[in-house]
Amino acid sequence: MNQPLSPPRPPGAFRWTPRQIALASLLVLAVVLCWLPAFQAIADRYVDDGLQRSLLSFATARALHSVVSVLQGTELAVQPMGVGLTLTLGQVLAPISDLVAQFADWMLWASIAFGLQKLLLSMGGSYGVTGVLTLIALAWLLLRWRQQAVPTWLSRLLVVLLFTRLVMPVTIIGSEALFQHFIAQTYQENQIATEGAVGQLQQFDVRAPAKTPGAAASAGEATPTPPANPAVAPSSSLWERFKQWGQQAQQSASQAASGVQDLVRNPGDALRDKLSELQQQLDQQVERLVTLMVVFALQTLVIPLVLVWALLQLCKGLLAGPRQPAAKS
């Protein structure tokens, strides 16, 4: 007995495959997420947190740049026994000043990036975009459910709307999650250390070692000498007085020449230690600034780009229609 033949499927129809079922399930989940207020609220809070961090680092960078600029204009007047040299720190602090200026510019761009993300998040999360996306998704699922071919323009429109609606929340939430898990501690340590360095440099007194310890000791020893001149006994002869004045003048000239020679060869232990301390603080600050730049580069550039690429590849899966079986001859 001949069995009745099944009616032929319309052209372009296809059977559901596990891949198509998975894509349809992901599409339904994406549409549901778009209508959840908590999904948008979490993304808003995360982008605000990132913007506050970048603005805080920008303010710290500007304060650090101001302090370094003040230190650059500081003059060190080392005058042992009234004779000395004037030293400036402009050339010494020029590299760190340029780095701080670049760091401030980078923090400004990071703040602009977070502000742009916030604007795009607000635009993409509007009810109009979400409503149109829902209608297009329902039409796409209906055609697939009826086993009819989906027009290419409909799939492309669905991908564009889906990407527009989800690109900002997904990248913001994903980058913030990775930041909190891997980078947050590093950021906090370097940010706190940078703020502390600003306070230390504001209180740093490079003028303190203007007098070397040797010169200060010589000056201290020479201080009681002048009152000794009037203390000479009236009965002493005039020759003895001239002899004492000559010895004191010779001692003062010797001390001045020795101070100038030490200043040219070595500015003094106190001054050298002070400048070494300043150099050490600035070297540590260079490492902190570079680390903070890497942190914000990861959160505002590298991680978002990777997440955008992954989301785009996922959305493109909706465009790939089922493979038609080859017709048998």
Side-chain angles (χ1 to χ4, degrees):
M1 183 177 178
N2 296 330
Q3 296 180 354
L5 298 176
S6 59
R9 290 184 298 170
F14 67 94
R15 295 183 182 274
W16 283 93
T17 62
R19 177 176 175 274
Q20 296 298 330
I21 295 175
L23 288 177
S25 301
L26 289 176
L27 180 59
V28 173
L29 178 61
V31 173
V32 172
L33 284 177
C34 292
W35 286 104
L36 288 179
F39 182 65
Q40 186 77 10
I42 292 175
D44 286 332
R45 185 174 73 252
Y46 283 170
V47 73
D48 289 339
D49 293 342
L51 181 59
Q52 291 178 3
R53 286 194 299 266
S54 62
L55 290 177
L56 177 61
S57 297
F58 174 73
T60 304
R62 298 304 303 171
L64 181 60
H65 187 266
S66 300
V67 174
V68 173
S69 299
V70 172
L71 290 177
Q72 278 187 290
T74 302
E75 295 182 351
L76 302 178
V78 185
Q79 299 178 352
M81 302 301 297
V83 180
L85 297 176
T86 301
L87 306 176
T88 58
L89 300 179
Q91 296 297 328
V92 178
L93 300 180
I96 184 65
S97 178
D98 295 339
L99 178 61
V100 174
Q102 295 176 4
F103 175 72
D105 294 339
W106 181 257
M107 291 302 99
L108 179 60
W109 282 110
S111 302
I112 295 175
F114 280 116
L116 183 60
Q117 289 180 3
K118 186 175 180 62
L119 178 61
L120 294 177
L121 179 65
S122 178
M123 295 173 58
S126 62
Y127 289 107
V129 176
T130 306
V132 175
L133 171 62
T134 304
L135 294 177
I136 298 298
L138 289 176
W140 188 90
L141 290 173
L142 181 61
L143 291 176
R144 287 297 177 93
W145 179 261
R146 297 178 60 181
Q147 296 186 352
Q148 296 179 1
V150 179
T152 303
W153 66 268
L154 184 63
S155 295
R156 293 183 182 274
L157 182 60
L158 176 61
V159 170
V160 172
L161 291 174
L162 193 63
F163 184 80
T164 303
R165 179 62 181 86
L166 293 179
V167 61
M168 282 295 104
V170 170
T171 54
I172 291 172
I173 295 176
S175 61
E176 182 68 18
L178 293 176
F179 172 83
Q180 294 295 336
H181 189 71
F182 296 104
I183 316 176
Q185 183 176 0
T186 302
Y187 165 77
Q188 292 177 359
E189 292 176 355
N190 288 275
Q191 177 64 30
I192 293 175
T194 302
E195 293 176 356
V198 172
Q200 292 177 0
L201 291 176
Q202 288 177 345
Q203 300 176 358
F204 192 85
D205 187 9
V206 293
R207 300 177 185 271
K211 292 184 179 180
T212 60
S218 300
E221 294 176 357
T223 302
T225 303
N229 291 335
V232 178
S235 59
S236 60
S237 61
L238 183 62
W239 170 252
E240 292 178 353
R241 293 184 180 181
F242 276 112
K243 186 177 180 180
Q244 292 178 355
W245 292 340
Q247 291 177 353
Q248 294 173 1
Q250 183 180 4
Q251 183 179 4
S252 299
S254 177
Q255 291 177 352
S258 178
V260 172
Q261 185 178 5
D262 293 340
L263 180 62
V264 174
R265 295 181 180 179
N266 186 355
D269 294 338
L271 180 58
R272 184 176 64 251
D273 294 341
K274 199 71 174 178
L275 294 180
S276 177
E277 179 185 355
L278 177 61
Q279 184 66 32
Q280 183 179 4
Q281 292 183 7
L282 294 179
D283 291 341
Q284 295 175 355
Q285 193 56 44
V286 168
E287 182 179 357
R288 299 187 188 114
L289 294 180
V290 173
T291 302
L292 288 175
M293 292 175 68
V294 171
V295 167
F296 280 96
L298 287 174
Q299 191 179 11
T300 60
L301 186 63
V302 178
I303 297 178
L305 287 179
V306 173
L307 294 177
V308 167
W309 177 84
L311 182 61
L312 182 60
Q313 296 301 318
L314 181 61
C315 293
K316 281 183 177 181
L318 297 176
L319 284 176
R323 295 181 179 179
Q324 298 294 336
K328 296 182 180 181
S329 58

